[in-house]
Amino acid sequence: MIEIKDVVKTYESPDGELTVLNGVNLEVKEGDTVVVMGASGSGKTTLLNIIAGLDKPKSGKVFFDGEDIFSLSLKERALYRNKKIGMIFQFFNLLNEFTALENVAIPLIIGGKNKKDSFEKAEDMLKRFGLEKRKEHKPYQLSGGEQQRVAIARALIKKPKILLLDEPTGNLDWKNAEETMVFIKEKIKESNITAILVTHSYELAKDFGKVFKLKEGKIKKISVDKLL
Ligand SMILES: Nc1ncnc2c1ncn2[C@@H]1O[C@H](COP(=O)(O)OP(=O)(O)O)[C@@H](O)[C@H]1O
Ligand SMILES: [Mg+2]
């Protein structure tokens, strides 16, 4: 489904050019669940942003179902993101002035669905996520774990082809992190979702799927036994 070919990404810095990804190759097939580990600053977020088409590599290509996403126009690429990608972030990125229900419904409304259907669908989703009693809460009235569940509902409501998770439990205490991860794994399994999880937690990575490590601009597969 996704093929990353020889991706190189550099940033300008005061000390000159900084090479973050230096020839990254990765293939993710439909139904795969892949973990990308790596120290802070190793380029994990950069890689996810490139897969989402939010950031452009200096060289190399990213194919989604055979299509080179950087040969698309900006508008087509925005559409690609809206239709095919679901993203979950460390800091939830929920809209504070909106309720849980509204946060989940917004991607559908933006996508052109009418309000009534969007809210019905969002309500259904919140129910499935055990949040029916929290739908009128604003994000700041929810626990960290609940906020992340709302963010997951929002990412999944459009049935993305692939889910990108950028340290989704990095901002939760141990107990909430554990519960949220169990929850994420359950949803992914239940709906056979293709997913790339970025984390630096061995605990979270160990039974998720194939594990890769980013280091010094390169990515390589590592065996799960090596994690422990
Ligand atoms: N917009 C940017 N401009 C300059 N340097 C950046 C930018 N974004 C990230 N970097 C640098 O690239 C490196 C990788 O960043 P990132 O992908 O966020 O790492 P990770 O998610 O693994 O912690 C870091 O050293 C960071 O400082
Ligand atoms: Mg990061």
Side-chain angles (χ1 to χ4, degrees):
M1 174 189 295
I2 287 193
E3 246 190 294
I4 299 166
K5 289 232 171 201
D6 300 321
V7 161
V8 174
K9 175 71 189 173
T10 60
Y11 289 115
E12 295 307 323
S13 85
D15 315 319
E17 206 177 58
L18 176 73
T19 303
V20 177
L21 304 176
N22 194 11
V24 165
N25 290 285
L26 182 66
E27 200 183 336
V28 180
K29 297 211 171 81
E30 188 139 14
D32 274 356
T33 46
V34 166
V35 183
V36 178
M37 302 191 71
S40 181
S42 59
K44 304 182 299 294
T45 297
T46 302
L47 181 64
L48 287 189
N49 285 341
I50 288 174
I51 294 169
L54 285 165
D55 206 353
K56 224 174 169 160
K58 180 181 183 186
S59 62
K61 290 191 168 162
V62 176
F63 296 95
F64 191 98
D65 288 342
E67 186 159 51
D68 176 355
I69 65 168
F70 294 104
S71 71
L72 301 172
S73 69
L74 271 180
K75 204 172 155 193
E76 287 168 333
R77 199 147 65 238
L79 207 63
Y80 155 76
R81 198 157 47 244
N82 186 271
K83 287 221 176 317
K84 311 221 161 142
I85 308 277
M87 278 187 102
I88 298 171
F89 309 90
Q90 179 172 353
F91 295 103
F92 323 135
N93 293 6
L94 295 172
L95 301 170
N96 257 319
E97 58 276 35
F98 293 97
T99 64
L101 184 69
E102 288 164 341
N103 266 283
V104 177
I106 280 168
L108 294 176
I109 295 168
I110 289 175
K113 214 179 171 75
N114 78 51
K115 275 195 177 161
K116 186 169 168 283
D117 291 350
S118 301
F119 282 122
E120 265 174 29
K121 220 166 156 209
E123 195 157 347
D124 245 29
M125 200 80 183
L126 286 178
K127 221 179 250 166
R128 275 182 52 209
F129 280 42
L131 290 165
E132 63 268 43
K133 295 216 171 86
R134 300 285 184 278
K135 65 182 184 194
E136 297 305 333
H137 288 224
K138 302 268 175 76
Y140 54 84
Q141 299 167 323
L142 297 168
S143 74
E146 287 168 346
Q147 286 183 56
Q148 195 57 308
R149 260 146 67 199
V150 172
I152 298 161
R154 180 184 60 179
L156 291 179
I157 196 155
K158 293 192 76 175
K159 295 194 174 26
K161 295 274 286 178
I162 189 164
L163 186 63
L164 307 177
L165 307 109
D166 194 357
E167 308 204 36
T169 59
N171 201 35
L172 298 175
D173 60 58
W174 181 85
K175 190 169 169 285
N176 269 299
E178 179 85 4
E179 279 173 14
T180 303
M181 207 58 219
V182 167
F183 185 80
I184 289 173
K185 284 176 185 169
E186 203 180 277
K187 293 296 158 200
I188 285 175
K189 218 167 161 194
E190 190 179 288
S191 308
N192 197 23
I193 295 167
T194 310
I196 304 178
L197 166 70
V198 156
T199 178
H200 49 231
S201 160
Y202 294 107
E203 273 305 309
L204 299 184
K206 69 174 192 268
D207 57 350
F208 191 82
K210 286 185 218 166
V211 183
F212 293 83
K213 188 158 188 174
L214 253 182
K215 196 178 171 188
E216 289 158 7
K218 302 276 187 200
I219 198 165
K220 63 174 192 214
K221 191 162 185 285
I222 55 175
S223 86
V224 182
D225 316 335
K226 276 205 179 152
L227 292 176
L228 303 169

